[in-house]
Amino acid sequence: MNKLIEHIKKVAIDDMRLFFEPFTIMTRLIRRLATAMISRFRRAKTKDEKEGDQ
């Protein structure tokens, strides 16, 4: 009986991982895009400030 319960737990955990995998991939993608956009905005802002000083 314990083996059956352990097997069910293992299958349930694997199923949960498969279910949430697309969400984690999309979350990582959105985070990377946001980070890239923020860093690009900051670089553009500092570049504008340097040109304004000269």
Side-chain angles (χ1 to χ4, degrees):
M1 190 67 178
N2 285 339
K3 285 186 177 183
L4 178 63
I5 292 172
E6 290 299 320
H7 177 70
I8 291 172
K9 284 182 184 178
K10 183 179 177 186
V11 170
I13 290 171
D14 290 343
D15 286 347
M16 283 181 55
R17 286 183 185 156
L18 286 174
F19 178 75
F20 285 110
E21 187 175 3
F23 297 113
T24 56
I25 290 170
M26 288 303 295
T27 303
R28 289 178 186 161
L29 178 65
I30 291 169
R31 189 181 304 149
R32 285 181 187 165
L33 288 173
T35 303
M37 290 181 66
I38 290 170
S39 65
R40 181 174 286 183
F41 177 73
R42 286 181 181 167
R43 275 189 272 139
K45 187 177 178 183
T46 56
K47 186 178 178 183
D48 290 343
E49 288 175 357
K50 285 182 181 178
E51 288 176 358
D53 291 342
Q54 291 179 358

